[in-house]
Amino acid sequence: MIPPQEASARRREIEDKLKQEEETLSFIRDSLEKSDQLTKNMVSILSSFESRLMKLENSIIPVHKQTENLQRLQENVEKTLSCLDHVISYYHVASDTEKIIREGPTGRLEEYLGSMAKIQKAVEYFQDNSPDSPELNKVKLLFERGKDALESEFRSLMTRHSKVVSPVLILDLISGDDDLEAQEDMTLEHLPESVLQDVIRISRWLVEYGRNQDFMNVYYQIRSSQLDRSIKGLKEHFHKSSSSSGVPYSPAIPNKRKDTPTKKPVKRPGTIRKAQNLLKQYSQHGLDGKKGGSNLIPLEGRDDMLDVETDAYIHCVSAFVKLAQSEYQLLADIIPEHHQKKTFDSLIQDALDGLMLEGENIVSAARKAIVRHDFSTVLTVFPILRHLKQTKPEFDQVLQGTAASTKNKLPGLITSMETIGAKALEDFADNIKNDPDKEYNMPKDGTVHELTSNAILFLQQLLDFQETAGAMLASQETSSSATSYSSEFSKRLLSTYICKVLGNLQLNLLSKSKVYEDPALSAIFLHNNYNYILKSLEKSELIQLVAVTQKTAERSYREHIEQQIQTYQRSWLKVTDYIAEKNLPVFQPGVKLRDKERQIIKERFKGFNDGLEELCKIQKAWAIPDTEQRDRIRQAQKTIVKETYGAFLQKFGSVPFTKNPEKYMKYGVEQVGDMIDRLFDTSA
């Protein structure tokens, strides 16, 4: 049970808390009442504001709509006025631009094209909106006049500023292939930059707005003429240069590298001159070939103009490639892309046809020369054909995209040249074999026949054109391998051909040697020709080419030469036989000779003397051009005769076989040697 004091304290505590709670409740009640009052006041204010907004909206919306309508009306008026101004401006285009169109675009292209743009828009407007309007006819007429003026301006600019490329510049352009640094500088400026830009602007306008392609014909006709004239000018340059100085030169590029002029001679292809120079060298060493009357036209007499023509043609071919490349670069800037190939094809036709025609003329001249047996003229085909084949990859690249007929022109010319070249080689071999034996045409002194020198000279020339000549021969092969022949195959063909010519030559020389009545002269003739052939083969490196298919050729010629020397030496037997030991009488020393024995000795002396004098007189007029061979043959013969004659003199020189010994013993041993030393020497 709780004590009374604690219960009383507990009750007071509870009463205090209750009182506090009642106070709090009273505060909350007062706050709620105030809040309700504020809410009522706010609702009243918002209701009033809403009412006022509704009144304002009802007043403003009609005003806004009216203002919006007014603004739309104003915009429509402005647009209408603008359209009217725009339409009215089309009616003034003709009068505003007529003066500019009449005066033309020269010197004012930008302004002119601006006027043409205005006229074009006017034409489009009247066509769409008033096709029956007289104004349409006016602007149409003005547009056509302006277009014609632009076409005329295009033609005028191209005509006035398209210049022929000078031969000197072309030669520098060609020679620039070997000098990369120079080649970078060698870009041809066909048109001044400002003119080029005007031409490009006009061409683009004519294509895009003028719907006109006639200017492309104008372009290719003008540029074609310049290209053709440039190449012809180069050819004339060669002719003039050759007549004045002999060799055309390529001076420094104008306005470039002035401090270091490059006077470089242009490249000259391998021509007959090299073989002629070789022949001159051989002549200095005693291998001269005198005219022996061959029906072959002598190569040494070849007109130098052939070399000029050959060089000119070769350089014109190279010039065409370079100039055509440059023309395409220019054309690509001016002519629309889908018209470029066709226009370029037309542009190069005249120059290309000129080159092909000249090439066919060379083939035709070679064909006629073959009939005349003038194989020196045929040789011009070789350097030209070689150059055409070397240049063909560049040709094919330049002609990419042109018509098939254009692309096939060069291959056709190459085929023609290969065919005529192969025929020339074959006919030359046949002529070597069939050259007639004419007694009056044979060299009287037994020297080298002109047939031999011509044959060797021709073969020496082939050294510079081994691949070309081999290809000519291979082109005539019917075997399947000929279609894809290798360099080794063509080399073997050429070696076989050279061996054939040498074989034909040897057979013909044997036949010709029979024209001589004296076997000794016949032997000297064959010796001279065989020796000339061998030395020529060795000196010109033909022997290596021959050895490809004929390993023993050199040894065979040496054997032939020795055989002819032996044949010649037999001519002296009729002299030495008189005093040979086997034909001398036998007698006892100290025993008086009988009349018959004395007579025999006299006959031996007389026979030797007469034979020696006769042979020396005859053989003195013969010739052995090779100094080494001449000395060798003299020495060998001198040794034989001196030994035989010396033994004879020793045996019979002191024998009293006559009262007049000086009549029979006319020559001493050394005298005989001196006489033999003067053989083969017409000046002695």
Side-chain angles (χ1 to χ4, degrees), residues 213-282:
Q213 297 181 7
D214 291 342
F215 78 95
M216 300 181 197
N217 296 331
V218 171
Y219 177 87
Y220 90 71
Q221 289 168 2
I222 293 173
R223 295 308 307 171
S224 175
S225 174
Q226 301 302 329
L227 175 62
D228 192 38
R229 288 168 59 194
S230 295
I231 294 175
K232 288 178 179 177
L234 178 62
K235 183 178 179 181
E236 293 173 3
H237 174 74
F238 265 83
H239 292 161
K240 292 178 181 177
S241 298
S242 63
S243 61
S244 59
S245 61
V247 179
Y249 283 91
S250 172
I253 303 168
N255 301 324
K256 294 183 180 181
R257 296 172 286 161
K258 290 183 178 180
D259 54 335
T260 56
T262 57
K263 289 190 176 181
K264 297 184 291 185
V266 296
K267 292 182 181 177
R268 299 180 66 79
T271 62
I272 191 63
R273 288 199 185 102
K274 180 175 180 180
Q276 289 174 335
N277 292 335
L278 286 171
L279 183 64
K280 291 176 182 177
Q281 293 173 13
Y282 301 158

Coordinates of all heavy atoms in Angstrom, one line a residue, residues 213-282:
Q213 N 28.5 21.8 -127.5 CA 29.8 21.0 -127.5 C 30.6 21.4 -128.7 O 31.7 20.8 -128.9 CB 29.4 19.5 -127.6 CG 28.7 19.0 -126.4 CD 28.3 17.6 -126.5 OE1 28.8 16.9 -127.4 NE2 27.6 17.1 -125.5
D214 N 30.2 22.4 -129.5 CA 31.0 22.8 -130.7 C 32.4 23.3 -130.3 O 33.3 23.2 -131.0 CB 30.2 23.9 -131.5 CG 29.0 23.3 -132.1 OD1 28.9 22.1 -132.2 OD2 28.1 24.1 -132.5
F215 N 32.4 23.9 -129.1 CA 33.7 24.5 -128.7 C 34.8 23.4 -128.5 O 36.0 23.6 -128.7 CB 33.6 25.3 -127.4 CG 33.5 24.4 -126.2 CD1 34.6 24.1 -125.4 CD2 32.3 23.9 -125.8 CE1 34.6 23.4 -124.3 CE2 32.2 23.1 -124.6 CZ 33.3 22.9 -123.9
M216 N 34.4 22.1 -128.3 CA 35.3 21.0 -128.2 C 36.0 20.8 -129.5 O 37.1 20.4 -129.6 CB 34.6 19.8 -127.7 CG 34.0 20.0 -126.3 SD 33.2 18.4 -125.7 CE 32.2 19.1 -124.4
N217 N 35.2 20.9 -130.6 CA 35.7 20.7 -131.9 C 36.7 21.8 -132.2 O 37.8 21.6 -132.8 CB 34.6 20.7 -133.0 CG 33.7 19.6 -132.8 OD1 34.1 18.5 -132.3 ND2 32.4 19.7 -133.2
V218 N 36.3 23.0 -131.8 CA 37.3 24.2 -132.0 C 38.6 23.9 -131.2 O 39.7 24.1 -131.8 CB 36.6 25.5 -131.5 CG1 37.6 26.6 -131.5 CG2 35.4 25.8 -132.4
Y219 N 38.4 23.4 -130.0 CA 39.6 23.2 -129.2 C 40.5 22.1 -129.8 O 41.7 22.4 -130.0 CB 39.1 22.6 -127.8 CG 40.3 22.3 -126.9 CD1 40.9 23.3 -126.1 CD2 40.8 21.0 -126.9 CE1 42.0 22.9 -125.3 CE2 41.9 20.7 -126.1 CZ 42.5 21.7 -125.3 OH 43.6 21.3 -124.5
Y220 N 40.0 21.0 -130.2 CA 40.9 20.0 -130.8 C 41.5 20.4 -132.1 O 42.6 20.0 -132.4 CB 40.2 18.6 -130.8 CG 39.4 18.3 -132.1 CD1 40.1 18.0 -133.3 CD2 38.1 18.2 -132.1 CE1 39.5 17.6 -134.4 CE2 37.4 17.8 -133.3 CZ 38.1 17.6 -134.4 OH 37.4 17.2 -135.6
Q221 N 40.7 21.1 -132.9 CA 41.3 21.6 -134.2 C 42.5 22.5 -134.0 O 43.5 22.4 -134.7 CB 40.2 22.3 -135.0 CG 39.1 21.3 -135.5 CD 37.9 22.0 -136.1 OE1 37.8 23.3 -136.1 NE2 36.9 21.3 -136.5
I222 N 42.3 23.4 -133.1 CA 43.4 24.4 -132.8 C 44.6 23.7 -132.2 O 45.8 23.8 -132.7 CB 42.9 25.5 -131.9 CG1 41.9 26.4 -132.6 CG2 44.1 26.4 -131.5 CD1 41.2 27.4 -131.7
R223 N 44.4 22.9 -131.2 CA 45.5 22.2 -130.5 C 46.1 21.1 -131.4 O 47.3 20.9 -131.4 CB 45.0 21.5 -129.2 CG 44.5 22.5 -128.1 CD 45.6 23.6 -127.8 NE 46.9 23.0 -127.5 CZ 48.0 23.8 -127.4 NH1 47.9 25.1 -127.5 NH2 49.1 23.2 -127.1
S224 N 45.3 20.5 -132.2 CA 45.8 19.5 -133.2 C 46.8 20.1 -134.1 O 47.8 19.6 -134.4 CB 44.7 18.8 -133.9 OG 45.1 17.9 -134.9
S225 N 46.4 21.3 -134.6 CA 47.3 22.0 -135.6 C 48.6 22.4 -134.9 O 49.7 22.2 -135.5 CB 46.6 23.3 -136.1 OG 47.4 24.1 -136.8
Q226 N 48.5 22.8 -133.6 CA 49.8 23.2 -132.9 C 50.6 22.0 -132.7 O 51.9 22.1 -132.8 CB 49.4 23.9 -131.6 CG 48.6 25.2 -131.7 CD 49.2 26.2 -132.6 OE1 50.4 26.3 -132.7 NE2 48.4 27.0 -133.3
L227 N 50.0 20.9 -132.3 CA 50.8 19.7 -132.1 C 51.5 19.2 -133.3 O 52.7 18.9 -133.3 CB 49.9 18.6 -131.5 CG 50.5 17.2 -131.3 CD1 51.6 17.2 -130.3 CD2 49.4 16.2 -130.9
D228 N 50.7 19.2 -134.4 CA 51.3 18.8 -135.7 C 52.4 19.7 -136.2 O 53.5 19.2 -136.6 CB 50.2 18.7 -136.7 CG 50.6 18.0 -138.0 OD1 51.3 17.0 -137.9 OD2 50.2 18.5 -139.1
R229 N 52.2 21.0 -136.0 CA 53.2 22.0 -136.4 C 54.5 21.9 -135.6 O 55.6 22.1 -136.0 CB 52.6 23.4 -136.4 CG 51.6 23.6 -137.5 CD 50.9 24.9 -137.3 NE 51.7 26.1 -137.2 CZ 51.4 27.3 -136.8 NH1 50.1 27.4 -136.4 NH2 52.2 28.3 -136.8
S230 N 54.3 21.6 -134.3 CA 55.4 21.5 -133.4 C 56.3 20.3 -133.8 O 57.6 20.5 -133.8 CB 54.9 21.3 -131.9 OG 54.2 22.4 -131.5
I231 N 55.7 19.2 -134.1 CA 56.5 18.0 -134.5 C 57.2 18.3 -135.9 O 58.3 17.9 -136.1 CB 55.6 16.8 -134.6 CG1 55.1 16.4 -133.1 CG2 56.3 15.6 -135.2 CD1 54.2 15.3 -133.0
K232 N 56.5 18.9 -136.8 CA 57.1 19.2 -138.1 C 58.2 20.2 -138.0 O 59.2 20.1 -138.7 CB 56.0 19.7 -139.1 CG 55.0 18.6 -139.5 CD 54.0 19.2 -140.4 CE 53.0 18.1 -140.9 NZ 51.9 18.7 -141.8
G233 N 58.0 21.1 -137.0 CA 59.1 22.1 -136.8 C 60.3 21.4 -136.2 O 61.5 21.8 -136.6
L234 N 60.2 20.4 -135.4 CA 61.3 19.7 -134.9 C 62.1 19.0 -136.0 O 63.3 19.0 -136.1 CB 60.9 18.6 -133.9 CG 62.0 17.7 -133.3 CD1 63.0 18.6 -132.5 CD2 61.4 16.7 -132.4
K235 N 61.3 18.4 -137.0 CA 61.9 17.7 -138.1 C 62.7 18.7 -139.0 O 63.8 18.4 -139.4 CB 60.8 17.0 -138.9 CG 61.4 16.2 -140.1 CD 60.2 15.5 -140.8 CE 60.8 14.8 -142.0 NZ 59.7 14.1 -142.8
E236 N 62.1 19.9 -139.2 CA 62.8 20.9 -140.0 C 64.1 21.4 -139.3 O 65.1 21.6 -139.9 CB 61.9 22.1 -140.3 CG 60.7 21.7 -141.2 CD 59.7 22.9 -141.3 OE1 60.0 23.9 -140.7 OE2 58.7 22.7 -142.0
H237 N 64.0 21.4 -138.0 CA 65.1 21.8 -137.1 C 66.3 20.9 -137.4 O 67.5 21.3 -137.5 CB 64.7 21.9 -135.7 CG 65.9 22.1 -134.7 ND1 66.5 23.4 -134.6 CD2 66.6 21.3 -133.9 CE1 67.4 23.3 -133.7 NE2 67.5 22.0 -133.3
F238 N 66.0 19.6 -137.4 CA 67.1 18.6 -137.7 C 67.7 18.8 -139.0 O 68.9 18.7 -139.2 CB 66.5 17.2 -137.6 CG 66.6 16.6 -136.2 CD1 65.7 16.8 -135.2 CD2 67.7 15.7 -136.0 CE1 65.8 16.3 -134.0 CE2 67.8 15.1 -134.7 CZ 66.9 15.4 -133.7
H239 N 66.9 19.1 -140.0 CA 67.4 19.2 -141.4 C 68.3 20.5 -141.4 O 69.4 20.5 -142.0 CB 66.3 19.4 -142.4 CG 65.5 18.1 -142.6 ND1 64.3 18.0 -143.1 CD2 65.9 16.8 -142.2 CE1 63.9 16.7 -143.1 NE2 64.8 16.0 -142.6
K240 N 67.8 21.6 -140.8 CA 68.6 22.8 -140.9 C 69.9 22.7 -140.1 O 71.0 23.1 -140.5 CB 67.8 24.0 -140.3 CG 66.6 24.4 -141.2 CD 65.8 25.5 -140.5 CE 64.6 25.9 -141.4 NZ 63.8 26.9 -140.7
S241 N 69.8 22.0 -138.9 CA 71.0 21.8 -138.0 C 72.0 21.0 -138.7 O 73.2 21.2 -138.6 CB 70.6 21.3 -136.7 OG 69.7 22.1 -136.0
S242 N 71.5 19.9 -139.4 CA 72.5 19.0 -140.0 C 73.2 19.6 -141.2 O 74.3 19.4 -141.5 CB 71.7 17.7 -140.5 OG 70.8 18.1 -141.5
S243 N 72.5 20.5 -141.9 CA 73.1 21.2 -143.0 C 74.1 22.3 -142.6 O 75.0 22.6 -143.3 CB 72.0 21.8 -143.9 OG 71.3 22.8 -143.2
S244 N 73.9 22.8 -141.4 CA 74.8 23.9 -140.9 C 75.9 23.3 -140.1 O 77.1 23.6 -140.3 CB 74.0 24.9 -140.2 OG 73.4 24.4 -139.1
S245 N 75.6 22.5 -139.0 CA 76.6 22.1 -138.1 C 76.8 20.6 -138.1 O 77.8 20.1 -137.5 CB 76.3 22.6 -136.7 OG 75.1 22.0 -136.3
G246 N 75.9 19.9 -138.7 CA 76.0 18.4 -138.7 C 75.3 17.8 -137.5 O 74.8 16.7 -137.7
V247 N 75.1 18.4 -136.4 CA 74.5 17.8 -135.2 C 73.6 18.8 -134.5 O 74.0 19.9 -134.2 CB 75.5 17.3 -134.2 CG1 74.8 16.7 -133.0 CG2 76.5 16.3 -134.8
P248 N 72.3 18.5 -134.4 CA 71.4 19.4 -133.7 C 71.7 19.4 -132.2 O 71.9 18.3 -131.6 CB 70.0 18.8 -134.0 CG 70.2 17.4 -134.3 CD 71.6 17.3 -134.9
Y249 N 71.7 20.6 -131.6 CA 71.9 20.7 -130.2 C 70.7 21.1 -129.4 O 69.8 21.8 -130.0 CB 73.1 21.7 -129.9 CG 74.4 21.0 -130.2 CD1 75.0 21.2 -131.5 CD2 75.1 20.3 -129.2 CE1 76.2 20.6 -131.7 CE2 76.3 19.7 -129.5 CZ 76.9 19.9 -130.7 OH 78.1 19.3 -131.0
S250 N 70.7 20.8 -128.2 CA 69.6 21.2 -127.3 C 70.1 22.2 -126.3 O 70.7 21.8 -125.3 CB 69.0 20.0 -126.6 OG 68.1 20.4 -125.6
P251 N 69.9 23.5 -126.5 CA 70.5 24.5 -125.6 C 69.7 24.5 -124.2 O 68.8 23.7 -124.1 CB 70.2 25.9 -126.3 CG 69.9 25.5 -127.7 CD 69.3 24.1 -127.7
A252 N 70.1 25.4 -123.4 CA 69.4 25.4 -122.1 C 68.0 25.8 -122.2 O 67.5 26.4 -123.2 CB 70.1 26.4 -121.2
I253 N 67.2 25.4 -121.2 CA 65.8 25.7 -121.2 C 65.6 27.2 -121.1 O 66.2 27.8 -120.1 CB 65.1 25.0 -120.0 CG1 65.3 23.5 -120.2 CG2 63.6 25.3 -120.0 CD1 64.9 22.7 -118.9
P254 N 64.9 27.9 -121.9 CA 64.8 29.3 -121.9 C 64.2 29.8 -120.5 O 63.2 29.1 -120.0 CB 63.8 29.7 -123.0 CG 63.9 28.5 -123.9 CD 64.2 27.3 -123.1
N255 N 64.7 30.8 -120.0 CA 64.3 31.4 -118.7 C 64.5 30.5 -117.5 O 63.9 30.8 -116.4 CB 62.8 31.8 -118.8 CG 62.6 32.8 -120.0 OD1 63.4 33.7 -120.2 ND2 61.4 32.6 -120.7
K256 N 65.2 29.4 -117.7 CA 65.4 28.6 -116.5 C 66.8 28.1 -116.6 O 67.4 27.8 -117.6 CB 64.5 27.3 -116.6 CG 63.0 27.7 -116.4 CD 62.2 26.4 -116.4 CE 60.7 26.8 -116.3 NZ 59.9 25.6 -116.3
R257 N 67.4 28.1 -115.4 CA 68.8 27.6 -115.2 C 69.7 28.4 -116.2 O 70.6 27.9 -116.8 CB 69.0 26.1 -115.6 CG 68.2 25.3 -114.6 CD 68.2 23.8 -115.0 NE 67.3 23.6 -116.1 CZ 67.4 22.6 -117.0 NH1 68.3 21.7 -116.8 NH2 66.6 22.5 -118.0
K258 N 69.5 29.7 -116.2 CA 70.3 30.6 -117.1 C 71.8 30.6 -116.7 O 72.7 30.8 -117.6 CB 69.8 32.0 -117.1 CG 68.4 32.1 -117.8 CD 68.0 33.6 -117.8 CE 66.6 33.7 -118.6 NZ 66.2 35.1 -118.6
D259 N 72.0 30.3 -115.5 CA 73.4 30.4 -115.0 C 74.2 29.1 -115.4 O 75.4 29.1 -115.4 CB 73.5 30.6 -113.5 CG 72.7 29.5 -112.8 OD1 71.8 29.0 -113.4 OD2 73.0 29.3 -111.6
T260 N 73.5 28.0 -115.7 CA 74.1 26.8 -116.1 C 73.5 26.2 -117.4 O 72.7 25.3 -117.3 CB 74.0 25.7 -115.0 OG1 72.6 25.6 -114.7 CG2 74.7 26.1 -113.7
P261 N 73.9 26.8 -118.5 CA 73.4 26.3 -119.8 C 73.8 24.9 -120.0 O 74.9 24.5 -119.6 CB 74.0 27.3 -120.8 CG 75.2 27.8 -120.1 CD 74.9 27.9 -118.7
T262 N 72.9 24.2 -120.6 CA 73.1 22.7 -120.9 C 73.1 22.5 -122.3 O 72.1 22.0 -122.9 CB 72.0 21.9 -120.2 OG1 70.7 22.3 -120.7 CG2 72.0 22.1 -118.7
K263 N 74.2 22.7 -123.0 CA 74.3 22.5 -124.4 C 74.7 21.0 -124.6 O 75.8 20.6 -124.9 CB 75.4 23.3 -125.1 CG 75.0 24.8 -125.1 CD 75.9 25.6 -126.0 CE 75.5 27.0 -126.1 NZ 76.3 27.8 -127.0
K264 N 73.6 20.2 -124.5 CA 73.8 18.7 -124.6 C 73.4 18.3 -126.0 O 72.3 18.7 -126.4 CB 73.0 18.0 -123.5 CG 73.4 18.3 -122.1 CD 72.6 17.5 -121.2 CE 71.1 17.9 -121.2 NZ 70.3 17.2 -120.2
P265 N 74.3 17.5 -126.6 CA 73.8 17.0 -127.9 C 72.7 16.0 -127.7 O 72.7 15.3 -126.7 CB 75.1 16.3 -128.5 CG 75.9 16.0 -127.3 CD 75.6 17.1 -126.3
V266 N 71.7 16.0 -128.6 CA 70.7 15.1 -128.4 C 71.2 13.7 -128.7 O 72.2 13.5 -129.4 CB 69.5 15.4 -129.5 CG1 68.9 16.7 -129.2 CG2 70.0 15.3 -130.9
K267 N 70.5 12.7 -128.1 CA 70.9 11.3 -128.3 C 70.7 11.0 -129.7 O 69.7 11.2 -130.4 CB 70.0 10.4 -127.4 CG 70.2 10.6 -125.9 CD 69.2 9.6 -125.3 CE 69.4 9.7 -123.8 NZ 68.4 8.8 -123.1
R268 N 71.7 10.3 -130.3 CA 71.7 9.8 -131.6 C 71.6 8.3 -131.6 O 72.4 7.7 -130.9 CB 72.9 10.3 -132.4 CG 73.0 11.8 -132.5 CD 74.2 12.2 -133.3 NE 74.1 11.8 -134.7 CZ 73.3 12.5 -135.6 NH1 72.6 13.5 -135.2 NH2 73.3 12.1 -136.8
P269 N 70.7 7.7 -132.3 CA 70.6 6.3 -132.3 C 71.8 5.6 -133.0 O 72.5 6.3 -133.8 CB 69.3 6.0 -133.1 CG 69.2 7.2 -134.0 CD 69.8 8.4 -133.2
G270 N 71.9 4.3 -132.8 CA 73.0 3.6 -133.5 C 72.7 3.5 -135.0 O 71.6 3.1 -135.4
T271 N 73.5 4.1 -135.8 CA 73.3 4.0 -137.2 C 74.5 3.4 -137.9 O 75.4 2.9 -137.3 CB 73.2 5.5 -137.8 OG1 74.4 6.2 -137.5 CG2 72.0 6.2 -137.1
I272 N 74.5 3.4 -139.2 CA 75.5 2.8 -140.0 C 76.9 3.4 -139.8 O 77.9 2.8 -140.0 CB 75.2 2.8 -141.5 CG1 76.1 1.9 -142.3 CG2 75.2 4.2 -142.0 CD1 75.9 0.5 -142.0
R273 N 76.9 4.6 -139.2 CA 78.2 5.3 -139.1 C 79.2 4.5 -138.2 O 80.4 4.5 -138.4 CB 78.0 6.7 -138.4 CG 77.4 7.7 -139.4 CD 77.6 9.1 -138.8 NE 76.9 10.0 -139.6 CZ 75.8 10.6 -139.3 NH1 75.2 10.3 -138.2 NH2 75.2 11.5 -140.0
K274 N 78.6 3.8 -137.2 CA 79.5 3.0 -136.3 C 80.3 2.0 -137.1 O 81.5 1.8 -136.9 CB 78.7 2.4 -135.2 CG 79.6 1.6 -134.2 CD 78.8 1.1 -133.0 CE 79.6 0.3 -132.1 NZ 78.9 -0.2 -130.9
A275 N 79.5 1.2 -137.9 CA 80.2 0.2 -138.7 C 81.1 0.8 -139.7 O 82.2 0.2 -140.0 CB 79.1 -0.6 -139.5
Q276 N 80.8 2.0 -140.3 CA 81.7 2.6 -141.2 C 83.0 3.0 -140.5 O 84.1 2.9 -141.1 CB 81.0 3.8 -141.8 CG 79.9 3.5 -142.8 CD 79.1 4.7 -143.3 OE1 79.1 5.7 -142.6 NE2 78.5 4.6 -144.4
N277 N 82.9 3.5 -139.3 CA 84.0 3.9 -138.5 C 84.9 2.7 -138.2 O 86.1 2.7 -138.3 CB 83.7 4.6 -137.2 CG 83.0 5.9 -137.5 OD1 83.3 6.5 -138.5 ND2 82.2 6.4 -136.5
L278 N 84.3 1.5 -138.0 CA 85.0 0.3 -137.7 C 85.8 -0.1 -139.0 O 87.0 -0.4 -139.0 CB 84.1 -0.8 -137.4 CG 83.5 -0.8 -135.9 CD1 82.5 -1.9 -135.8 CD2 84.6 -1.0 -134.9
L279 N 85.1 0.1 -140.2 CA 85.8 -0.2 -141.4 C 87.0 0.7 -141.6 O 88.0 0.2 -142.1 CB 84.8 -0.1 -142.6 CG 85.3 -0.5 -144.0 CD1 85.7 -1.9 -144.0 CD2 84.3 -0.1 -145.0
K280 N 86.9 2.0 -141.3 CA 88.0 2.9 -141.4 C 89.2 2.5 -140.5 O 90.3 2.5 -140.9 CB 87.6 4.3 -141.1 CG 86.6 4.9 -142.1 CD 86.1 6.3 -141.7 CE 85.1 6.8 -142.7 NZ 84.6 8.2 -142.3
Q281 N 88.8 2.0 -139.3 CA 89.9 1.5 -138.4 C 90.6 0.3 -139.0 O 91.8 0.2 -139.0 CB 89.3 1.1 -137.1 CG 88.7 2.3 -136.3 CD 88.0 1.9 -135.1 OE1 88.1 0.7 -134.6 NE2 87.2 2.8 -134.5
Y282 N 89.8 -0.6 -139.6 CA 90.4 -1.7 -140.2 C 91.3 -1.3 -141.4 O 92.4 -1.9 -141.7 CB 89.4 -2.7 -140.7 CG 88.5 -3.2 -139.6 CD1 87.2 -3.7 -139.9 CD2 88.9 -3.1 -138.3 CE1 86.4 -4.1 -138.8 CE2 88.1 -3.5 -137.2 CZ 86.8 -4.0 -137.5 OH 86.0 -4.4 -136.5

